[in-house]
Amino acid sequence: MKYYILFGPPGAGKGTQATAMVEKYNLNHISTGALLRKEIAAGTELGIQAKTLIEKGCLVPDEVVEGMIENEFKTVTGVDGFLLDGFPRTLPQADALDQILARNGSEVTATVSIMIPDEMIMERIKGRALKEGRADDASEDIINNRIVTYHNQTEPLIEYYSKAGKYNEIDGIGTIDEVRDRIFSVMDKF
Ligand code: ADP
């Protein structure tokens, strides 16, 4: 089993590129953001708690997403691997992922990081807001908070995976197809 992490700031295009990646490499796409939005739509206890945090641009507690990930690993079959999109997002989550995989004699295969500058994050998310109507895309204040959260809590993962020799960064500026081809040329190595 391959375990790929799709990494990058909010709005980098992870969701868009994930679709092409799962198809080409027969992966199961796990987006913690999408799983959380499903819980919110279903009105579950977890969803109600997550909603308030997400709509402020904050992260939900590590244990919540870790539980969701472990559950997905257990229930999905018939694939060559998993594409983790939006997870891990904090150092404790990265540590938990290593432990979950180690229990099954496995490890992270590679991290594919799509990088875009902060100015572009705002521009892209505002464009997406018009199409998708996500509550956390609705105001500049929330988007700014997500950018700050990314720099403070998620960016340290770059060093974590670089040290492990598992960090691959690609330039997220360009057309969807250009970015996709850059990703494929990295993934073809594994
Ligand atoms: P984006 O990549 O555009 O920020 P996501 O759909 O990945 O959007 O995530 C939306 C929100 O869901 C995040 O801002 C955060 O509140 C919550 N979330 C998603 N993944 C995680 C995670 N791994 N840990 C904590 N919170 C998460």
Side-chain angles (χ1 to χ4, degrees):
M1 273 299 209
K2 301 265 172 57
Y3 294 91
Y4 292 104
I5 295 166
L6 185 54
F7 186 86
K14 298 189 293 288
T16 306
Q17 298 297 344
T19 314
M21 295 163 83
V22 297
E23 204 173 293
K24 180 156 169 143
Y25 301 98
N26 187 32
L27 307 171
N28 181 261
H29 179 203
I30 306 180
S31 158
T32 41
L35 289 172
L36 289 166
R37 284 189 287 279
K38 216 188 273 176
E39 298 282 342
I40 294 172
T44 63
E45 189 61 39
L46 193 160
I48 292 164
Q49 285 169 11
K51 189 171 190 287
T52 328
L53 292 163
I54 291 176
E55 290 181 2
K56 281 193 216 141
C58 300
L59 297 180
V60 305
D62 290 332
E63 312 77 61
V64 171
V65 280
E66 287 160 15
M68 292 191 325
I69 290 284
E70 217 170 349
N71 192 41
E72 292 290 306
F73 284 161
K74 277 193 208 132
T75 47
V76 177
T77 53
V79 291
D80 294 327
F82 289 88
L83 181 64
L84 302 177
D85 165 3
F87 180 91
R89 237 176 170 102
T90 63
L91 285 169
Q93 288 178 22
D95 203 42
L97 175 62
D98 284 346
Q99 288 177 35
I100 293 167
L101 296 180
R103 283 204 287 277
N104 301 305
S106 218
E107 60 177 307
V108 169
T109 308
T111 301
V112 180
S113 171
I114 310 178
M115 239 355 110
I116 59 165
D118 284 1
E119 314 81 79
M120 203 171 272
I121 298 178
M122 185 61 77
E123 200 181 299
R124 290 214 188 156
I125 293 185
K126 279 184 175 166
R128 175 171 77 187
L130 301 174
K131 282 184 253 159
E132 296 182 13
R134 266 171 56 172
D136 59 343
D137 288 346
S139 84
E140 271 196 26
D141 281 353
I142 304 171
I143 301 170
N144 272 328
N145 200 28
R146 286 161 66 199
I147 295 174
V148 171
T149 303
Y150 168 77
H151 287 304
N152 291 341
Q153 302 199 53
T154 307
E155 217 163 43
L157 294 178
I158 295 178
E159 197 190 334
Y160 184 89
Y161 288 109
S162 296
K163 278 192 181 147
K166 292 183 176 176
Y167 184 73
N168 303 275
E169 187 168 300
I170 65 121
D171 180 2
I173 305 174
T175 65
I176 291 175
D177 288 358
E178 280 163 357
V179 176
R180 182 203 58 207
D181 290 346
R182 287 176 206 145
I183 294 174
F184 285 175
S185 65
V186 167
M187 289 182 77
D188 282 339
K189 291 191 259 172
F190 299 99

